[in-house]
Amino acid sequence: MLILECPYCGVKAEETELSAGGEAHLKRFGPGSADDDFENYMFARKNPKGVHFERWRHSYGCGKWFLAARCTATLEVFGTYPAQTGEPPADLQAKIKAKRPDWKGY
Amino acid sequence: MKRYSVFAIARQAMSYHQGWERAWRAPEPKKEYDVIIVGAGGHGLATAYYLGKNHGIRNVAIIEKGWLGGGNTGRNTTIIRSNYLQDSSAAIYDKALQLYQGLSQDLNYNVMFSPRGLLMLAQTHHEVRGYLRTVHANQLQGIIKTEWIGPAKVKELVPIMNIDGPRYPVLGALYQAQGGTARHDAVAWGYARACSDMGMDIIQQTEVKGVRTEGGVVRGVETTKGYIGCKKLGIVVAGHSGQVADMAGFRLPVEAVALQALVSEPIKPTIDVVVMANTVHGYMSQSDKGELVIGGGTDSFNNFTQRGSFHHIEETLRALIETFPIISRLKMLRQWGGIVDMTGDRSPIISKTPVGNCFINCGWGTGGFKAIPGSGWAMAELVAKGEPGPLAADFNMWRFREGQFIDESVAAGVAH
Ligand SMILES: Cc1cc2nc3c(=O)[nH]c(=O)nc-3n(C[C@H](O)[C@H](O)[C@H](O)COP(=O)(O)OP(=O)(O)OC[C@H]3O[C@@H](n4cnc5c(N)ncnc54)[C@H](O)[C@@H]3O)c2cc1C
Ligand SMILES: [Zn+2]
C-alpha cells in the first residue's frame, strides 16, 4: 500500500485517500504553439522505470494537489512537495541522487 | 518438428512418453539476423510467425529478457471478442478472431480456443446507449455478428446472475456469440514452437539494453549476451515500450500501469459464458479447472512492479458480488499483476518510427490478448514491406499529433 505525506496538511495518507494525476512539471503549450510542442505536452510522457515526479491529489483529505517523487520500479517514495514549484526542490534532487547514483537527473 | 496427433500420442504411449522432443530449441544468438523482434510475448511471437509464413522471412531472432510468454501474455484473463466500435479496431480484432478460429490446426498446437459467447453488461442507461451504438456500428461494418439482448435473455444465459441488483441492475447486454477465451500460455507456446520449426531463434533470458543506429537507421541491438546485428528491428515489449523506444531515441505516448487479476478456488461448472461488467470494472469467466477467473480495472499510478494495490481487487469483488451473489463466500486462491502499456486513446500502436527500419507494436494495454494473431499478421506485413497494410495503417504513432484518435474508451470503458 502506497503512503504519501500531504505537504499541506501533513497527513500521512494511504492510497485510497489519494488520486493519481500523472507526470508532474509538464510545461503547458496552448493554441498557437508549434505542433511538436503541443503533441509532446498532450501525449508524450517520460514514463521512466525508476525515479518519477508525479501529481497527486489529497482527494479525501484537504483536497489539494501536491507533487511526489517516487520510484516506479520499487515503489519507494523519496518525498512530497507543494505543487507551486516549477521543478523538484534541490534538496529532494540531492537526496535522490545520493540514493540512486545512476539517476540521470531531472 | 514431429507433428502432434492422436497417432503420435499412441506411439509415444508405447515408450512411456519418453520420446517427445522439446517444443523449441534454445540456440545461442548468431552475429546477425534479417529481423530481430524484441519481446517474446504473444504479439512478438505472432509477428515472427507471420513474417515466416506470409512473407518468407525466416532469418529471424526473437529476444526475450525473461521467459517466453512470461509477460502480460501469460498473466491475462484471456477474453476474446471483436465487437469494437471504431472501424479500424473492428477490422484488426476481427481478423484476430478469424485467425483464432483456425489457430490450433494452423499451429498444430491446441490453443484451447473456446468461443463460448461473451456478454458485456449494461448497468447504466449510458451504457445501454453506448452498446446499441456499437451494435449499429458493427452492422454497418458488416463483418461482426453482435447483438443487443435484454435482461431476460441475460438471465437465461447466466442463471447465477442477479439482474435486479439495487445499485447495478442489469439492463441488457451486448452479446457476441463467437467471443470467448483461449489458453494464454498455449498461444505463446504454439507460436514459439512453429517459429522454432521454421528455423527462427528464440533467445530467452537475454535483455536488450541498447539499440545501435547509424545515420538514423537501425543496425542492431546491444544485449546481455553482446551485440547482435539486424537489418530490421521490431519492438514488441508491451509495458517496457517506453524504455526500448528511449534506447532507439524516440518517445511514445505510452504509460505503464499495473493491471491485476485473480482466481477463486475451483468449483463445479456455474457459468459457461464470459461476462464483462464495465460499470463496476469487473469481468469473470470459469476456467476448465473450475476456477473463476476475475479481472478488474487498472491501478492508478505508473508502476513497473507487476503487482498492484489490494484495494483495487477488493473493489472489483465488492461490486461483482451484487451481480453474482454466489461468489461472496468463495476463497480467492491467487492474485497477480501485469504491466500494461496505455496510450492516450486506449488503442494500440503498430507503426513505423522516427528510426529507419525500426518498427513498433505496443499500446495494447488491458486488451491485447484477443488481438494477438491479427496484430502479428499486421505487424509482419509492416516489417516485411516497410509500409503498413490496411490493418495497421490507422494505428500509426503520428495519429496523436494529427488528432486522428481511435477512441475506444467511449465504448469499452477502461478495460477492453
Ligand atoms: C491482469 C491482466 C489481464 C488481462 N486480460 C486480458 C483479457 O482478458 N483479454 C485481452 O485481450 N487482453 C487482456 N490483457 C492484456 C494482454 O495481456 C496484453 O495486451 C497482451 O498480452 C500483450 O502482449 P505482448 O506480447 O504485447 O506483451 P507481453 O506478453 O508482456 O510480452 C512482452 C515481452 O517483452 C519482454 N521484454 C520487455 N523488455 C525487454 C527487453 N528490454 N529485452 C527483451 N525483452 C523484453 C517482456 O519480458 C515480455 O515477455 C490483460 C493483461 C493483464 C495484465
Ligand atoms: Zn492534505
Side-chain angles (χ1 to χ4, degrees), chain B residues 171-249:
Chain B
L171 306 173
L174 178 64
Y175 179 48
Q176 186 174 22
Q178 292 179 308
T181 63
R183 169 81 199 273
H184 49 11
D185 294 324
V187 171
W189 296 339
Y191 276 122
R193 176 166 169 267
C195 287
S196 182
D197 184 50
M198 285 191 276
M200 297 179 179
D201 289 351
I202 305 170
I203 302 163
Q204 302 186 69
Q205 308 290 345
T206 305
E207 183 170 355
V208 169
K209 293 286 214 182
V211 175
R212 206 184 279 180
T213 58
E214 228 176 79
V217 178
V218 85
R219 285 283 170 254
V221 290
E222 314 284 351
T223 76
T224 45
K225 287 201 179 135
Y227 175 75
I228 311 173
C230 65
K231 300 199 177 84
K232 290 179 177 179
L233 182 67
I235 302 171
V236 197
V237 294
H240 286 83
S241 299
Q243 276 62 46
V244 182
D246 190 47
M247 294 171 199

Side-chain angles (χ1 to χ4, degrees), chain B residues 273-307:
Chain B
V273 293
V274 183
V275 176
M276 302 177 70
N278 288 330
T279 293
V280 300
H281 285 323
Y283 44 91
M284 193 164 93
S285 65
Q286 189 165 21
S287 76
D288 295 339
K289 284 186 284 182
E291 302 160 330
L292 295 181
V293 182
I294 298 170
T298 58
D299 280 34
S300 63
F301 54 83
N302 295 42
N303 182 352
F304 285 87
T305 63
Q306 292 187 321
R307 53 175 201 266

Side-chain angles (χ1 to χ4, degrees), chain A residues 1-2 14-16 18-20 22-23 35-36 39-40 43-50 52 54 56 70-75 104, chain B residues 65 239-240 242-243 246 251-256 299-305 307 309-312 315 344-345 397-398 400-401 405:
Chain A
M1 169 99 13
L2 188 68
E14 59 106 316
E15 211 187 311
T16 56
L18 303 164
S19 323
E23 188 176 319
D35 283 359
D36 274 348
E39 183 194 5
N40 273 327
F43 298 107
R45 293 292 175 264
K46 288 190 184 137
N47 191 31
K49 185 173 183 175
H52 190 225
E54 53 196 19
W56 284 87
R70 200 174 55 83
C71 175
T72 60
T74 62
L75 304 190
K104 290 202 188 83
Chain B
K65 76 177 158 100
H240 286 83
Q243 276 62 46
D246 190 47
R251 284 178 80 185
L252 286 174
V254 168
E255 289 197 273
D299 280 34
S300 63
F301 54 83
N302 295 42
N303 182 352
F304 285 87
T305 63
R307 53 175 201 266
S309 307
F310 183 71
H311 69 90
H312 269 280
E315 278 161 16
D345 62 358
M397 62 183 273
W398 292 279
F400 298 95
R401 180 195 186 100
F405 310 121

Side-chain angles (χ1 to χ4, degrees), chain B residues 34-305:
Chain B
D34 290 342
V35 176
I36 287 181
I37 303 291
V38 191
H43 290 261
L45 290 163
T47 301
Y49 176 71
Y50 295 112
L51 270 175
K53 189 179 172 196
N54 295 354
H55 304 280
I57 301 173
R58 295 181 175 191
N59 182 17
V60 175
I62 306 125
I63 302 181
E64 166 57 49
K65 76 177 158 100
W67 64 94
L68 70 89
N72 293 343
T73 299
R75 295 163 185 270
N76 89 95
T77 48
T78 74
I79 295 176
I80 297 174
R81 66 182 185 93
S82 69
N83 49 354
Y84 279 71
L85 177 69
Q86 309 293 346
D87 294 354
S88 353
S89 326
I92 193 162
Y93 286 102
D94 204 59
K95 174 75 185 174
L97 182 66
Q98 304 300 327
L99 289 168
Y100 262 125
Q101 288 168 350
L103 197 59
S104 295
Q105 285 73 22
D106 188 26
L107 297 177
N108 179 232
Y109 201 98
N110 187 1
V111 301
M112 298 166 75
F113 177 56
S114 163
R116 58 182 74 176
L118 180 137
L119 296 174
M120 294 173 80
L121 299 185
Q123 294 178 293
T124 63
H125 290 286
H126 172 74
E127 270 182 311
V128 174
R129 282 194 293 271
Y131 289 147
L132 285 172
R133 184 180 171 207
T134 304
V135 171
H136 298 151
N138 289 160
Q139 274 165 0
L140 287 174
Q141 288 150 359
I143 42 173
I144 296 158
K145 279 198 217 100
T146 185
E147 59 184 301
W148 169 258
I149 58 175
K153 175 80 178 167
V154 174
K155 180 79 185 169
E156 190 187 311
L157 285 168
V158 194
I160 62 167
M161 202 185 293
N162 169 24
I163 60 167
D164 36 41
R167 269 178 306 175
Y168 311 117
V170 175
L171 306 173
L174 178 64
Y175 179 48
Q176 186 174 22
Q178 292 179 308
T181 63
R183 169 81 199 273
H184 49 11
D185 294 324
V187 171
W189 296 339
Y191 276 122
R193 176 166 169 267
C195 287
S196 182
D197 184 50
M198 285 191 276
M200 297 179 179
D201 289 351
I202 305 170
I203 302 163
Q204 302 186 69
Q205 308 290 345
T206 305
E207 183 170 355
V208 169
K209 293 286 214 182
V211 175
R212 206 184 279 180
T213 58
E214 228 176 79
V217 178
V218 85
R219 285 283 170 254
V221 290
E222 314 284 351
T223 76
T224 45
K225 287 201 179 135
Y227 175 75
I228 311 173
C230 65
K231 300 199 177 84
K232 290 179 177 179
L233 182 67
I235 302 171
V236 197
V237 294
H240 286 83
S241 299
Q243 276 62 46
V244 182
D246 190 47
M247 294 171 199
F250 61 93
R251 284 178 80 185
L252 286 174
V254 168
E255 289 197 273
V257 293
L259 177 66
Q260 304 181 71
L262 65 164
V263 293
S264 75
E265 58 189 321
I267 53 173
K268 286 189 175 171
T270 53
I271 173 169
D272 62 359
V273 293
V274 183
V275 176
M276 302 177 70
N278 288 330
T279 293
V280 300
H281 285 323
Y283 44 91
M284 193 164 93
S285 65
Q286 189 165 21
S287 76
D288 295 339
K289 284 186 284 182
E291 302 160 330
L292 295 181
V293 182
I294 298 170
T298 58
D299 280 34
S300 63
F301 54 83
N302 295 42
N303 182 352
F304 285 87
T305 63

